[in-house]
Amino acid sequence: MTVSSAPGKVYLFGEHAVVYGEPAVPCAIERRATVSVEPREDDRIRVEARDLSLDGFTVEYSGATDGHPDVNVPTPLVEAAMGYIDAAVEQALDAADSREVGFDITVESDIPLGAGLGSSAAVVVAGIDAATRALGVDLDAEEIADRAYRAEYEVQDGQASRADTFCSAMGGAVRVEGDDCRTLDAPNLPFVVGFDGGAGDTGALVAGVRELKERYEFAADTVETIGDIVREGERLLADADPADAPDDELLAELGNLMDFNHGLLEALGVSSRSLDNMVWGARMAGADGAKLTGAGGGGCIVALDPTPETETGLRFTPGCEDVFRAELATEGVRVEAERAVDFRGEREDA
Ligand code: MEV
């Protein structure tokens, strides 16, 4: 059995605008998806997904990917999750130049599905790493990021940037602008995440922004302004010492930019009542700034606060179902256990 894990992420700045070539800064967080892979004798794929959850949000599924799982989350989300796993397997078979191999796959994740924390990217990244290793092929993190992007691009009908997958593969804070992906030396920011228990439909939300942008020049300007916010945020991060805890002034300035970024995402129609409630709950509790993270429509917000006040405030905010502090995950994709199988089924422990 080969087991790999990869982290989820929050967007400090820049989601949606990144789809149109503006820069974005996502940060990997210590919530991981773990994928276990065991090659099979036949060419079938069997997927078992456990705990794709935070509280109140669980999928239990066991069976072939074309089966009908018994779940307590909307079926489209489960179908999407299975689509990502299929696409990851395709990429792994392609990397290993093999078509004949099947897999038993188990997915465990503490990143809620479709909630803006990069669950699909983490599953795809960990899945490609585990499946290629199981076939005796060792890809570096950048190649995994590239293949994971291709998998997401396919599942999301071309509506995906490289941000989520690059961040999950590399870990830490990253900067993505079109095909230009880099890691950043950033201080460990005091992220607090609020989750409304729901999810958004990334494809529909991205399509909605595209429509607005094509219809109104001011919507296109809004997307460009998000890019300006990201560039300003990058300057602040570049001046900070990554080894030190961020000082109050830096947090206040980053927080202002996050607030601005949320306002523009709201204007582009990707926020929701519960996301806005949580953003205001965090601000009223004294957060330096707060914004939705990811595609929006429901799911998570991210706030900056080194004190416990925002966590407490969010616990009392209507619509907020879960709150947690998210540490920066400095490690991206990593192998947890490894046993390669050659194509004739002979095992080599590594
Ligand atoms: C989704 O996590 C982030 C979006 O910017 C889409 C993407 O970058 O692929 C909305």
Side-chain angles (χ1 to χ4, degrees):
M1 167 108 48
T2 302
V3 186
S4 297
S5 76
K9 58 104 221 330
V10 292
Y11 271 89
L12 184 56
F13 313 113
E15 55 274 89
H16 282 288
V18 70
V19 175
Y20 308 102
E22 297 296 339
V25 177
C27 300
I29 58 168
E30 270 311 339
R31 289 255 161 178
R32 302 184 79 88
T34 303
V35 179
S36 312
V37 168
E38 181 73 38
R40 294 166 62 105
E41 302 285 303
D42 57 25
D43 61 359
R44 286 178 59 79
I45 298 197
R46 180 178 174 280
V47 179
E48 185 180 329
R50 296 184 196 145
D51 269 352
L52 299 177
S53 72
L54 282 183
D55 287 351
F57 200 105
T58 305
V59 179
E60 282 181 20
Y61 172 62
S62 181
T65 50
D66 56 357
H68 296 284
D70 178 16
V71 293
N72 68 348
V73 293
T75 310
L77 272 182
V78 177
E79 283 172 1
M82 295 306 134
Y84 287 112
I85 291 164
D86 278 349
V89 167
E90 278 293 310
Q91 286 296 329
L93 294 176
D94 184 60
D97 205 11
S98 165
R99 293 276 126 203
E100 316 279 290
V101 190
F103 295 107
D104 284 325
I105 298 175
T106 305
V107 182
E108 291 168 88
S109 175
D110 53 11
I111 312 166
L113 281 175
L117 299 183
S119 55
S120 57
V123 166
V124 172
V125 165
I128 293 175
D129 191 55
T132 47
R133 283 176 189 279
L135 297 172
V137 175
D138 195 355
L139 302 179
D140 65 29
E142 296 204 14
E143 181 158 2
I144 291 169
D146 183 53
R147 287 189 172 275
Y149 163 66
R150 286 191 251 157
E152 275 216 335
Y153 190 87
E154 186 192 309
V155 179
Q156 291 172 203
D157 293 329
Q159 315 235 46
S161 74
R162 291 182 178 272
D164 291 22
T165 38
F166 185 73
C167 184
S168 183
M170 306 306 289
V174 306
R175 177 196 197 273
V176 171
E177 182 172 6
D179 290 340
D180 180 18
C181 302
R182 300 161 191 217
T183 53
L184 290 180
D185 272 339
N188 192 354
L189 296 170
F191 292 127
V192 179
V193 174
F195 176 39
D196 69 6
D201 177 338
T202 301
L205 290 153
V206 172
V209 172
R210 187 182 296 279
E211 244 175 71
L212 280 178
K213 192 177 156 300
E214 281 166 6
R215 182 156 177 206
Y216 301 115
E217 213 173 305
F218 51 78
D221 292 346
T222 303
V223 167
E224 277 181 33
T225 306
I226 292 178
D228 293 338
I229 291 175
V230 181
R231 284 180 275 273
E232 185 64 32
E234 277 180 76
R235 273 191 286 278
L236 295 173
L237 290 175
D239 289 344
D241 185 340
D244 287 346
D247 61 28
D248 290 352
E249 195 186 333
L250 174 63
L251 291 178
E253 286 191 79
L254 289 172
N256 280 342
L257 296 178
M258 290 170 76
D259 287 342
F260 218 124
N261 195 163
H262 181 77
L264 297 181
L265 289 167
E266 212 275 322
L268 291 171
V270 297
S271 192
S272 70
R273 191 165 182 157
S274 56
L275 293 175
D276 286 345
N277 274 349
M278 291 191 291
V279 161
W280 275 105
R283 288 176 187 161
M284 299 313 283
D288 290 292
K291 61 182 278 295
L292 67 83
T293 175
C300 293
I301 65 130
V302 57
L304 282 188
D305 190 353
T307 79
E309 301 300 326
T310 296
E311 283 169 89
T312 308
L314 282 172
R315 282 187 216 291
F316 290 98
T317 300
C320 180
E321 290 214 347
D322 202 352
V323 184
F324 57 91
R325 191 164 274 290
E327 291 297 322
L328 188 73
T330 48
E331 242 184 321
V333 63
R334 71 173 179 231
V335 60
E336 307 283 352
E338 189 164 19
R339 187 171 59 183
V341 172
D342 77 13
F343 299 127
R344 292 168 306 282
E346 314 247 323
R347 297 221 149 93
E348 301 161 16
D349 288 335

